[in-house]
Amino acid sequence: MFFRMIRGAFTRQWKKMLMIALTIALGASLATAMLGVMMDVGDKVNQELKTYGANITVVPKASSVIGNLYEVEGGESGETAYLREDELGKIKTIFWAFNIVDFSPFIDTEVTLPDGAGVKLVGTWFNHHLALPTGEELDTGVKNLRTWWSIEDGRWIDEGLDVYEPNCVMVGSVLAEREGLRVGDWLHVSAPYGENDLIVCGIFDSGDDADEQLYAPMDVVQALSDTDGYLTSIEVSALTTPDNELAERAAKDPSSLSIADYELWYCTAYVSSICYQLQEVITDSVASPVRQVADSEGAILEKTELLMVLITILSLIGSALGITNLVTASVMERSNELGLLKAIGAKDGAISALVLTEVILTGIVGAAIGYFAGLGFAQIIGHTVFGSSIAMKPLVLPVVAVLVLVVTLAGSVPAIRMLLKLRPAEVLHGR
Amino acid sequence: MSLLELNNISKIYGDLKALDNVSLSVDTGEWVAIMGPSGSGKSTMMNIIGCMDKPTSGAVLLDGKDISKESAKSLTAIRRDKIGLIFQQFHLVNYLTAVENVMVAQYYHSMPDEKEALEALERVGLADRAKHLPSQLSGGEQQRVCIARALINYPEIVLADEPTGNLDEANENIVLDIFKQLHKDGTTLVVVTHDPEVGEVAQRTITLEHGRIVKDALNANFKEA
Ligand SMILES: Nc1ncnc2c1ncn2[C@@H]1O[C@H](COP(=O)(O)OP(=O)(O)OP(=O)(O)O)[C@@H](O)[C@H]1O
Ligand SMILES: [Mg+2]
């Protein structure tokens, strides 16, 4: 009988029920999309930070101390201390050599342009071909490390090709704009230890300080600064294992570990053990993970998540209000019928159960529609905002289900209260 | 002992006395008509007898038990177990068929039993309309469904408020014939009406005016069917 009544109510009131279902679907779809994106993007970024984000910089010991004390960038104060270029190959001989994906040395110096402007000239590898003592061969350099650079004009310096034109320079977009430099232009630079004519072969946009700098091959810059065979820093990109408690203890002071712990730590690809091993092979160096990038991405991620949580909450409140209106209107419209049921002896609980069952069944339909629509929204958001598709976590479904249930029940409260107050005598005598 | 007894009941809305110190007793098997002009308190009295309202003062004894002090919850139970209600506007659930409307009363009372519900419809002459929705039934037919629903749980007392108010002559007669049959079967009937023809066929007529009983007489013309 209960089932017949529910079915009857649905066939007769399907338009109203559809409205309620759509209201719920709207809330559910937003909740699904937001939760799906949130959980997946959070995971993705974390994973990316864990596998790729562990960039390590190696600087001379003296420079690192000064840099840390005065909080200035390592390169500028490190004039007196250098790393040795001939030790670079050793990077690929450490225990975790296979986890070193890319690395590149840097040497930088201040140069003066013809108009008197002082500019930082950075010497580095672009796509350096390396034949290692182990017999392994490797192409490495900033072309791999600076994946976010976009070439606005011209091309990357190609070390294989530029043997024939060794004076190529790449110019940051801001600097190029200011100096009116274009691909093919000659640029005269003078430095304390010499001067040179460089040809602009590419203009890049990095979105950071590098936009105001010049990038040229190592030997060009070493010649200008009289630092042949020396480096100011090395950047290393390594695949690492996420830190745990052991890694944190070791990062503070490896000598505090027991022998067993030390071996476990040393033989695990923690970023701290890779740093430690780099310091072992590069004389007088300090290797440390670059965390700033990860941290700021993390902060943006947190803000984005907060925003999505807020959108979810607001949309659910919106649905709850919509449901409140619709369910209350429906109970009002049916006050005769519900009053009659009371008059013939239905208990308040029985009538509430009837109305709630209707609403919840509608809610389930709405939630199902909303969930599938939300899957679609999530993909749209994934592609337009994050440029990747979203893999729905299984947790999304139960969370959305619980949220919809709570919202639907909360939205029905005023209608149920009205229903309880309904007095059969008042509706049945046609006043 | 009488089935229903009203002892000095009043119902007061603000300074309006809808019922003013009314006393009345109805015996088992009696057929009582309550008459009076509009606004005289007939429906108010029905609501109190039907456990849908409480008097401001006075006692209502049903089966010797005072129901005027009961909680809303136990009034619901008394309504369900002892009272059959018939309304002027029929009040059928419009998305349920005739037989389902009868079964609803069974459902909230105990167990729906389609066979028994169909028999009840047969007694009011609607066996062939059992699967129709209220919107597919005439007013008279709807009222007969309403009567079948009121009788399905074997109430001790059947209350009808203007049962023929929305019906034409022919349907009115059908309903009155059903009442006669009910009376013959021993059902206690209290019928509110302002239609003299409906009043006349009852065993006893009570006339209300301004919330007071002004006349309470046995009907000389009353014939046992
Ligand atoms: N809930 C209420 N609040 C205030 N006054 C009410 C209420 N219910 C009834 N009344 C008043 O009580 C009086 C009696 O009403 P009642 O409905 O009992 O009349 P009635 O005899 O059934 O009239 P009718 O023949 O028109 O149905 C009327 O004056 C009515 O306005
Ligand atoms: Mg009335």
Side-chain angles (χ1 to χ4, degrees), chain A residues 423 426 429 431, chain B residues 11-14 16-19 35-47 53 88 161-162 192-194 208 211:
Chain A
R423 298 195 32 239
E426 276 159 24
H429 290 287
R431 275 200 183 90
Chain B
K11 180 76 186 179
I12 298 172
Y13 295 111
L16 177 97
K17 288 187 174 173
L19 285 179
M35 300 198 61
S38 182
S40 55
K42 304 185 296 293
S43 295
T44 306
M45 191 154 138
M46 283 302 248
N47 286 340
D53 209 348
Q88 181 174 358
D161 193 350
E162 305 278 11
V192 163
T193 184
H194 56 242
L208 282 178

Short mmCIF file of all heavy atoms in Angstrom, two decimals, chain A residues 423 426 429 431, chain B residues 11-14 16-19 35-47 53 88 161-162 192-194 208 211, ligand 1:
data_model
loop_
_atom_site.label_atom_id
_atom_site.label_comp_id
_atom_site.label_asym_id
_atom_site.label_seq_id
_atom_site.Cartn_x
_atom_site.Cartn_y
_atom_site.Cartn_z
N ARG A 423 -3.82 20.35 11.14
CA ARG A 423 -4.90 19.74 11.92
C ARG A 423 -6.03 19.36 10.98
O ARG A 423 -6.53 20.18 10.23
CB ARG A 423 -5.38 20.71 12.99
CG ARG A 423 -4.22 21.00 13.96
CD ARG A 423 -4.64 21.65 15.26
NE ARG A 423 -5.96 21.24 15.68
CZ ARG A 423 -6.94 22.11 15.87
NH1 ARG A 423 -6.76 23.38 15.65
NH2 ARG A 423 -8.10 21.68 16.29
N GLU A 426 -9.14 21.39 10.38
CA GLU A 426 -9.04 22.67 9.67
C GLU A 426 -9.09 22.52 8.16
O GLU A 426 -9.45 23.45 7.45
CB GLU A 426 -7.76 23.40 10.09
CG GLU A 426 -7.99 24.18 11.36
CD GLU A 426 -6.72 24.50 12.11
OE1 GLU A 426 -5.65 24.53 11.48
OE2 GLU A 426 -6.80 24.71 13.33
N HIS A 429 -13.22 20.50 6.47
CA HIS A 429 -14.59 20.98 6.41
C HIS A 429 -14.78 22.12 5.44
O HIS A 429 -15.73 22.87 5.52
CB HIS A 429 -15.11 21.30 7.81
CG HIS A 429 -15.29 20.08 8.63
ND1 HIS A 429 -16.31 19.19 8.40
CD2 HIS A 429 -14.54 19.54 9.61
CE1 HIS A 429 -16.20 18.17 9.23
NE2 HIS A 429 -15.12 18.35 9.98
N ARG A 431 -13.45 25.02 4.84
CA ARG A 431 -13.51 26.44 5.19
C ARG A 431 -12.68 27.26 4.22
O ARG A 431 -11.63 26.84 3.83
CB ARG A 431 -12.97 26.66 6.59
CG ARG A 431 -14.02 26.43 7.60
CD ARG A 431 -13.73 27.07 8.95
NE ARG A 431 -14.81 26.69 9.83
CZ ARG A 431 -14.76 25.59 10.56
NH1 ARG A 431 -13.71 24.84 10.55
NH2 ARG A 431 -15.79 25.26 11.32
N LYS B 11 -17.33 25.25 23.23
CA LYS B 11 -16.15 25.52 22.41
C LYS B 11 -16.15 27.01 22.14
O LYS B 11 -17.10 27.56 21.58
CB LYS B 11 -16.22 24.75 21.08
CG LYS B 11 -15.04 24.98 20.18
CD LYS B 11 -13.82 24.21 20.66
CE LYS B 11 -12.59 24.54 19.85
NZ LYS B 11 -11.41 23.82 20.36
N ILE B 12 -15.09 27.66 22.59
CA ILE B 12 -15.08 29.13 22.53
C ILE B 12 -13.93 29.61 21.66
O ILE B 12 -12.78 29.21 21.84
CB ILE B 12 -14.95 29.71 23.96
CG1 ILE B 12 -16.19 29.26 24.76
CG2 ILE B 12 -14.89 31.23 23.91
CD1 ILE B 12 -16.12 29.58 26.22
N TYR B 13 -14.26 30.40 20.64
CA TYR B 13 -13.24 31.05 19.80
C TYR B 13 -13.28 32.53 20.13
O TYR B 13 -14.22 33.22 19.77
CB TYR B 13 -13.56 30.88 18.31
CG TYR B 13 -13.50 29.44 17.82
CD1 TYR B 13 -14.67 28.78 17.45
CD2 TYR B 13 -12.29 28.77 17.72
CE1 TYR B 13 -14.63 27.47 16.98
CE2 TYR B 13 -12.24 27.47 17.26
CZ TYR B 13 -13.41 26.82 16.89
OH TYR B 13 -13.35 25.53 16.44
N GLY B 14 -12.26 33.03 20.84
CA GLY B 14 -12.27 34.43 21.23
C GLY B 14 -13.48 34.70 22.09
O GLY B 14 -13.63 34.10 23.16
N LEU B 16 -16.53 34.26 20.75
CA LEU B 16 -17.63 33.57 20.07
C LEU B 16 -17.81 32.18 20.67
O LEU B 16 -16.86 31.41 20.76
CB LEU B 16 -17.30 33.43 18.58
CG LEU B 16 -18.35 32.65 17.81
CD1 LEU B 16 -19.34 33.58 17.14
CD2 LEU B 16 -17.70 31.75 16.80
N LYS B 17 -19.00 31.90 21.13
CA LYS B 17 -19.27 30.57 21.67
C LYS B 17 -19.84 29.70 20.56
O LYS B 17 -21.05 29.72 20.29
CB LYS B 17 -20.26 30.65 22.83
CG LYS B 17 -19.63 31.26 24.06
CD LYS B 17 -20.57 31.17 25.26
CE LYS B 17 -19.87 31.64 26.52
NZ LYS B 17 -20.80 31.73 27.66
N ALA B 18 -18.97 28.94 19.89
CA ALA B 18 -19.44 28.08 18.80
C ALA B 18 -20.31 26.97 19.36
O ALA B 18 -21.30 26.56 18.74
CB ALA B 18 -18.23 27.50 18.06
N LEU B 19 -19.97 26.49 20.56
CA LEU B 19 -20.84 25.55 21.28
C LEU B 19 -20.98 26.09 22.69
O LEU B 19 -19.99 26.47 23.32
CB LEU B 19 -20.22 24.15 21.31
CG LEU B 19 -20.29 23.34 20.02
CD1 LEU B 19 -19.61 21.99 20.23
CD2 LEU B 19 -21.72 23.15 19.54
N MET B 35 -29.20 19.25 13.01
CA MET B 35 -29.63 20.27 12.06
C MET B 35 -29.42 21.65 12.66
O MET B 35 -29.08 21.78 13.82
CB MET B 35 -31.09 20.05 11.67
CG MET B 35 -31.31 18.69 11.03
SD MET B 35 -32.84 18.58 10.10
CE MET B 35 -32.64 19.79 8.85
N GLY B 36 -29.65 22.65 11.86
CA GLY B 36 -29.49 24.01 12.35
C GLY B 36 -28.93 24.90 11.26
O GLY B 36 -28.35 24.41 10.30
N PRO B 37 -29.12 26.19 11.42
CA PRO B 37 -28.65 27.12 10.40
C PRO B 37 -27.12 27.16 10.33
O PRO B 37 -26.44 26.68 11.23
CB PRO B 37 -29.21 28.47 10.85
CG PRO B 37 -29.47 28.31 12.29
CD PRO B 37 -29.80 26.87 12.53
N SER B 38 -26.66 27.78 9.27
CA SER B 38 -25.22 27.89 9.08
C SER B 38 -24.61 28.66 10.24
O SER B 38 -25.16 29.66 10.69
CB SER B 38 -24.95 28.61 7.76
OG SER B 38 -23.57 28.67 7.55
N GLY B 39 -23.50 28.18 10.73
CA GLY B 39 -22.80 28.88 11.82
C GLY B 39 -23.33 28.52 13.18
O GLY B 39 -22.90 29.07 14.19
N SER B 40 -24.25 27.54 13.27
CA SER B 40 -24.84 27.22 14.56
C SER B 40 -23.95 26.29 15.38
O SER B 40 -24.25 26.02 16.53
CB SER B 40 -26.22 26.61 14.36
OG SER B 40 -26.11 25.49 13.50
N GLY B 41 -22.89 25.76 14.77
CA GLY B 41 -21.95 24.94 15.56
C GLY B 41 -21.99 23.46 15.22
O GLY B 41 -21.40 22.64 15.93
N LYS B 42 -22.62 23.11 14.10
CA LYS B 42 -22.77 21.69 13.76
C LYS B 42 -21.40 21.04 13.49
O LYS B 42 -21.08 19.98 14.06
CB LYS B 42 -23.67 21.53 12.51
CG LYS B 42 -25.04 22.17 12.64
CD LYS B 42 -25.91 21.91 11.45
CE LYS B 42 -25.40 22.52 10.14
NZ LYS B 42 -25.43 23.99 10.12
N SER B 43 -20.62 21.67 12.62
CA SER B 43 -19.31 21.09 12.29
C SER B 43 -18.40 21.07 13.51
O SER B 43 -17.63 20.13 13.72
CB SER B 43 -18.65 21.86 11.16
OG SER B 43 -19.41 21.72 9.99
N THR B 44 -18.51 22.12 14.31
CA THR B 44 -17.71 22.18 15.53
C THR B 44 -18.00 20.96 16.41
O THR B 44 -17.10 20.29 16.92
CB THR B 44 -18.03 23.48 16.30
OG1 THR B 44 -17.86 24.58 15.41
CG2 THR B 44 -17.11 23.64 17.49
N MET B 45 -19.27 20.65 16.52
CA MET B 45 -19.67 19.51 17.33
C MET B 45 -19.16 18.20 16.72
O MET B 45 -18.67 17.32 17.43
CB MET B 45 -21.20 19.48 17.40
CG MET B 45 -21.74 18.53 18.40
SD MET B 45 -23.36 19.15 18.90
CE MET B 45 -24.25 17.66 18.93
N MET B 46 -19.27 18.10 15.41
CA MET B 46 -18.78 16.90 14.72
C MET B 46 -17.28 16.71 14.95
O MET B 46 -16.83 15.59 15.18
CB MET B 46 -19.02 17.02 13.21
CG MET B 46 -20.43 16.77 12.83
SD MET B 46 -20.91 15.14 13.38
CE MET B 46 -21.07 14.35 11.84
N ASN B 47 -16.54 17.80 14.86
CA ASN B 47 -15.09 17.70 15.04
C ASN B 47 -14.75 17.19 16.43
O ASN B 47 -13.81 16.43 16.61
CB ASN B 47 -14.42 19.05 14.80
CG ASN B 47 -14.39 19.41 13.33
OD1 ASN B 47 -14.50 18.52 12.49
ND2 ASN B 47 -14.26 20.69 13.03
N ASP B 53 -10.89 17.59 17.36
CA ASP B 53 -10.83 18.86 18.07
C ASP B 53 -11.20 18.57 19.53
O ASP B 53 -11.79 17.54 19.82
CB ASP B 53 -11.83 19.84 17.43
CG ASP B 53 -11.37 21.27 17.60
OD1 ASP B 53 -10.42 21.51 18.38
OD2 ASP B 53 -11.95 22.15 16.93
N GLN B 88 -18.48 16.26 3.31
CA GLN B 88 -19.21 16.88 2.21
C GLN B 88 -18.38 16.87 0.93
O GLN B 88 -18.88 16.60 -0.14
CB GLN B 88 -19.56 18.32 2.59
CG GLN B 88 -20.35 19.03 1.51
CD GLN B 88 -20.81 20.40 1.98
OE1 GLN B 88 -20.58 20.81 3.11
NE2 GLN B 88 -21.51 21.10 1.10
N ASP B 161 -20.65 14.71 7.87
CA ASP B 161 -20.91 16.16 7.87
C ASP B 161 -21.40 16.56 6.48
O ASP B 161 -20.63 16.54 5.52
CB ASP B 161 -19.63 16.91 8.24
CG ASP B 161 -19.91 18.38 8.56
OD1 ASP B 161 -21.05 18.84 8.30
OD2 ASP B 161 -19.00 19.05 9.06
N GLU B 162 -22.67 16.90 6.38
CA GLU B 162 -23.27 17.27 5.10
C GLU B 162 -22.96 16.25 4.00
O GLU B 162 -22.43 16.61 2.96
CB GLU B 162 -22.76 18.65 4.64
CG GLU B 162 -22.95 19.76 5.62
CD GLU B 162 -24.36 20.34 5.58
OE1 GLU B 162 -25.24 19.75 4.92
OE2 GLU B 162 -24.57 21.38 6.21
N VAL B 192 -24.81 15.27 10.10
CA VAL B 192 -25.06 16.71 10.12
C VAL B 192 -25.68 17.11 8.79
O VAL B 192 -25.21 16.68 7.72
CB VAL B 192 -23.75 17.50 10.32
CG1 VAL B 192 -23.94 18.95 9.92
CG2 VAL B 192 -23.30 17.40 11.77
N THR B 193 -26.73 17.89 8.81
CA THR B 193 -27.33 18.32 7.55
C THR B 193 -28.16 19.56 7.77
O THR B 193 -28.59 19.85 8.89
CB THR B 193 -28.19 17.19 6.97
OG1 THR B 193 -28.70 17.60 5.71
CG2 THR B 193 -29.37 16.87 7.88
N HIS B 194 -28.31 20.35 6.75
CA HIS B 194 -29.33 21.38 6.88
C HIS B 194 -30.46 21.11 5.88
O HIS B 194 -31.33 21.93 5.66
CB HIS B 194 -28.76 22.79 6.72
CG HIS B 194 -28.03 23.00 5.44
ND1 HIS B 194 -26.69 23.31 5.39
CD2 HIS B 194 -28.45 22.94 4.16
CE1 HIS B 194 -26.32 23.43 4.14
NE2 HIS B 194 -27.37 23.20 3.37
N LEU B 208 -29.60 22.70 16.46
CA LEU B 208 -28.70 23.64 17.12
C LEU B 208 -29.00 25.04 16.65
O LEU B 208 -29.34 25.26 15.49
CB LEU B 208 -27.24 23.32 16.75
CG LEU B 208 -26.52 22.16 17.43
CD1 LEU B 208 -25.13 22.03 16.85
CD2 LEU B 208 -26.46 22.38 18.93
N GLY B 211 -25.06 27.66 18.90
CA GLY B 211 -24.26 26.82 19.78
C GLY B 211 -25.06 26.13 20.88
O GLY B 211 -24.46 25.51 21.76
N1 LIG C 1 -11.28 27.64 13.90
C1 LIG C 1 -12.21 28.60 14.14
N2 LIG C 1 -11.82 29.80 14.56
C2 LIG C 1 -12.75 30.78 14.82
N3 LIG C 1 -14.04 30.60 14.67
C3 LIG C 1 -14.50 29.40 14.24
C4 LIG C 1 -13.60 28.34 13.95
N4 LIG C 1 -14.32 27.27 13.56
C5 LIG C 1 -15.62 27.66 13.60
N5 LIG C 1 -15.72 28.92 13.99
C6 LIG C 1 -16.95 29.68 14.18
O1 LIG C 1 -17.81 28.90 14.99
C7 LIG C 1 -19.15 28.99 14.53
C8 LIG C 1 -19.68 27.61 14.25
O2 LIG C 1 -19.04 27.08 13.12
P1 LIG C 1 -19.44 25.71 12.49
O3 LIG C 1 -18.47 25.41 11.41
O4 LIG C 1 -19.56 24.71 13.58
O5 LIG C 1 -20.84 26.02 11.85
P2 LIG C 1 -21.83 25.05 11.06
O6 LIG C 1 -23.01 24.90 11.87
O7 LIG C 1 -21.07 23.82 10.66
O8 LIG C 1 -22.14 25.91 9.76
P3 LIG C 1 -22.38 25.43 8.25
O9 LIG C 1 -23.75 24.91 8.17
O10 LIG C 1 -22.21 26.68 7.46
O11 LIG C 1 -21.33 24.41 7.96
C9 LIG C 1 -19.11 29.87 13.28
O12 LIG C 1 -19.53 31.17 13.63
C10 LIG C 1 -17.67 29.84 12.86
O13 LIG C 1 -17.34 31.08 12.27
#
